[in-house]
Amino acid sequence: MFLTLEEINVIYGKKEGRVHALKDLCLGIEEGEFVTIMGKSGCGKSTLLNVLGAIRKPTKGIYKFKGKDIGEMRDAGLAKFRNKNLGFVLQNFALLNDRSVYDNVSLPLKYMKTGAKEQRKRVGAILKEMDLLNKISKYPSELSGGQKQRVALARALVTKPKLLLADEPTGSLDEETGIQIMELLREINEEGTTIVMVTHDKEFANYGNHLITMKDGRIIKEE
């Protein structure tokens, strides 16, 4: 199994402010799957994504990635694990407005201390794939919403991650642009990248091949 969650619980706060965000959640994902997660706001979707992204440690339970127990890693090890294995795409793009497209996309490579020549090679290749090579010197304010999301995708994919985590990647886009991004995600998945995506849109959820529905911190349905 590519990754497994075993009896995962996540609890925020204490006493009256205590929130049980995930409750005894179990999940297995095979390599190459395109998993889509649906459910009402507050059901635990984003918390689940944060656990998978090694951003939030479970209060209880075991998360294994390719057989390795992520809970046993210290902070430095978790940072290396994220840089090597994971890519993140968010609804609000999370681009640095004072940096060019090149600088935004190359940022994860800088964290990995990749050489300048290799950075230029990888960034050029991924921007060409995203049809953004002519925007390499532009700034986020000069781009459309769809172009910003493609830059965010390029940044997530430039390190060649094994797992891409997407939190409402079409949430800030119009329907036509959202479809373009979903088609792009499907292509990325068909090329071998495992994807886990949170969405409120049933039509976009159907792009996946493993649909999960959540309620009150639990998985209530898998298709």
Side-chain angles (χ1 to χ4, degrees), residues 16-217:
E16 293 82 4
R18 190 171 181 266
V19 176
H20 204 153
L22 296 179
K23 303 170 184 174
D24 300 321
L25 188 143
C26 296
L27 177 64
I29 296 174
E30 298 283 1
E31 191 165 10
E33 281 196 289
F34 189 157
V35 181
T36 51
I37 304 172
M38 294 194 72
K40 293 181 180 179
S41 295
C43 71
K45 302 186 303 296
S46 293
T47 300
L48 173 54
L49 218 60
N50 286 338
V51 170
L52 291 173
I55 294 169
R56 176 80 191 190
K57 282 192 174 184
T59 309
K60 182 183 176 184
I62 298 172
Y63 171 26
K64 289 185 179 180
F65 187 96
K66 300 184 78 171
K68 187 172 183 63
D69 188 344
I70 303 305
E72 294 179 349
M73 293 183 183
R74 296 182 181 275
D75 289 346
L78 284 170
K80 288 181 180 178
F81 165 76
R82 286 191 293 266
N83 285 339
K84 181 180 179 181
N85 296 289
L86 307 179
F88 298 87
V89 182
L90 306 175
Q91 177 179 340
N92 63 357
F93 320 126
L95 300 177
L96 300 175
N97 291 320
D98 61 343
R99 303 287 182 91
S100 68
V101 166
Y102 179 89
D103 289 336
N104 270 282
V105 175
S106 65
L107 199 58
L109 297 174
K110 288 184 170 67
Y111 288 140
M112 295 174 69
K113 299 182 179 178
T114 306
K117 185 177 179 180
E118 180 66 14
Q119 283 185 40
R120 289 194 294 272
K121 180 182 175 182
R122 287 209 199 180
V123 172
I126 195 68
L127 287 178
K128 184 178 180 181
E129 187 176 340
M130 296 288 164
D131 195 26
L132 287 167
L133 204 51
N134 62 338
K135 305 293 183 183
I136 195 167
S137 299
K138 299 291 185 181
Y139 287 80
S141 61
E142 302 174 277
L143 305 176
S144 68
Q147 288 169 339
K148 288 178 185 177
Q149 194 57 291
R150 279 189 282 144
V151 172
L153 264 173
R155 181 183 57 194
L157 295 169
V158 74
T159 59
K160 301 177 181 178
K162 297 176 178 66
L163 174 63
L164 179 67
L165 299 170
D167 194 356
E168 296 282 358
T170 61
S172 299
L173 307 175
D174 61 70
E175 184 177 2
E176 183 180 351
T177 308
I179 290 171
Q180 292 172 2
I181 293 298
M182 290 308 305
E183 292 290 347
L184 196 51
L185 285 171
R186 180 150 59 188
E187 288 177 20
I188 291 163
N189 174 246
E190 288 173 350
E191 290 168 1
T193 302
T194 306
I195 298 177
V196 179
M197 180 186 80
V198 165
T199 182
H200 279 101
D201 192 308
K202 176 67 174 176
E203 181 182 346
F204 290 159
N206 288 332
Y207 275 78
N209 52 30
H210 183 173
L211 173 58
I212 291 169
T213 304
M214 294 185 65
K215 182 179 180 180
D216 297 331

